[in-house]
Amino acid sequence: MNIIKATDYNDMSRKAANIISAQVILKPNSVLGLATGSSPLGLYSELVKRYKQGDLDFSQVKSVNLDEYMGLTHDNPQSYYYFMNENLFGHINIVPENTHVPDGTAANAEQACAEYEKVIQSLGGIDLQLLGLGNNGHIGFNEPGTAFEQHTHCVELTESTIQANSRFFEKLEDVPTKACTMGIKSIMMAKKILIIVNGKGKADIVHKAFFGPVTPQVPASILQMHPDVTLVADEEALSLCNL
Ligand code: F6R
């Protein structure tokens, strides 16, 4: 694993943007796997800035998002579909038809997940998958205990993830309890993985995930087995790692 130490959140965002920019410049028709949450916000605004400066062209890029809440429509500001348009897609020249987010409103959720996996395959797989790290070690919505062999599937969110996500909702009851997520297997099939982590609050889980045993109890620990992973983390997140 390649570990890049950043001084703070902004530095992490710029360093991660360098990696995505290099990917898009070297392979203009890249398939990017994208994430939501607070970790990539700075990175996305950095990509938007570079696009506006004329340094990046997303016209041939295709994207697949990691996950989506079940039950939220596209116009719901808490849906990941909305998040992606608001924070990235709406500000760059990516073709809307080339962007993919799991359908959280499908009547048959299992079928929607299976179809999403086929979409990833039909694009030829993911060139670069961006990930954030959950406080409990989850990646996507693959919570502790998830089998490493799973492809895109529906999940019940754990209490700790519902609590963590409640900061984005008015009331705890509004936080969806189910989601559709790429599985660990779908993530591990990406050619390259970029994971970004910041803040003291994640120092313990960073240490467990990247320097502890590989176990389904810490889903991100499987990344130790991937041949091309880059972790970009700030000093606080790396503070318990002996680097
Ligand atoms: C988001 C996702 C989640 C987040 C993780 C970290 O699409 O799949 O796994 O990456 O929960 O969230 P933040 O970045 O908000 O700390």
Side-chain angles (χ1 to χ4, degrees):
M1 176 175 316
N2 187 15
I3 300 180
I4 298 178
K5 200 175 199 170
T7 49
D8 55 17
Y9 181 79
N10 287 339
D11 190 36
M12 174 194 81
S13 302
R14 279 194 306 272
K15 285 182 159 71
N18 289 345
I19 294 171
I20 297 196
S21 301
Q23 176 70 39
V24 170
I25 291 165
L26 293 172
K27 189 177 179 205
N29 62 349
S30 287
V31 177
L32 299 180
L34 298 174
T36 61
S38 38
S39 306
L41 281 173
L43 155 63
Y44 290 157
S45 72
E46 188 65 30
L47 292 177
V48 169
K49 188 173 105 192
R50 293 179 192 195
Y51 162 71
K52 288 192 171 153
Q53 284 167 350
D55 292 330
L56 283 178
D57 174 17
F58 292 89
S59 61
Q60 296 177 63
V61 168
K62 297 180 181 109
S63 73
V64 279
N65 259 77
L66 266 176
D67 43 16
E68 176 62 288
Y69 288 121
M70 297 306 298
L72 300 191
T73 49
H74 286 172
D75 58 352
N76 187 317
Q78 302 306 336
S79 74
Y80 288 173
Y81 179 94
Y82 191 98
F83 175 104
M84 290 309 299
N85 283 308
E86 196 69 3
N87 294 298
L88 184 64
F89 300 154
H91 308 283
I92 58 174
N93 66 336
I94 196 163
V95 178
E97 291 72 33
N98 287 343
T99 67
H100 306 273
V101 179
D103 181 4
T105 63
N108 185 334
E110 299 293 337
Q111 193 183 336
C113 289
E115 275 164 17
Y116 195 70
E117 190 67 35
K118 283 192 201 139
V119 168
I120 301 172
Q121 281 163 21
S122 72
L123 296 174
I126 299 165
D127 290 302
L128 176 64
Q129 176 67 54
L130 172 68
L131 298 173
L133 178 66
N135 292 320
N136 61 3
H138 74 215
I139 45 177
F141 273 125
N142 295 285
E143 303 289 2
T146 308
F148 286 150
E149 290 75 26
Q150 284 209 287
H151 290 274
T152 305
H153 61 289
C154 291
V155 288
E156 298 276 347
L157 304 185
T158 61
E159 205 46 51
S160 83
T161 298
I162 293 172
Q163 286 287 348
N165 292 351
S166 65
R167 67 192 195 274
F168 300 114
F169 292 81
E170 258 178 43
K171 295 185 280 187
L172 188 63
E173 305 84 80
D174 293 341
V175 187
T177 56
K178 283 191 182 143
C180 171
T181 182
M182 279 186 203
I184 301 274
K185 184 90 186 222
S186 334
I187 293 170
M188 288 295 280
M189 279 163 55
K191 295 181 188 84
K192 292 181 203 157
I193 292 178
L194 167 62
I195 179 160
I196 55 175
V197 194
N198 70 286
K200 248 197 180 77
K202 290 198 179 156
D204 185 48
I205 196 66
V206 165
H207 184 255
K208 281 197 181 111
F210 303 113
F211 296 93
V214 175
T215 163
Q217 291 316 315
V218 183
S221 64
I222 189 68
L223 299 176
Q224 294 179 41
M225 311 298 282
H226 191 283
D228 193 343
V229 176
T230 301
L231 164 67
V232 182
D234 71 355
E235 282 167 9
E236 288 189 347
L238 291 172
S239 57
L240 298 180
C241 305
N242 208 355
L243 295 173

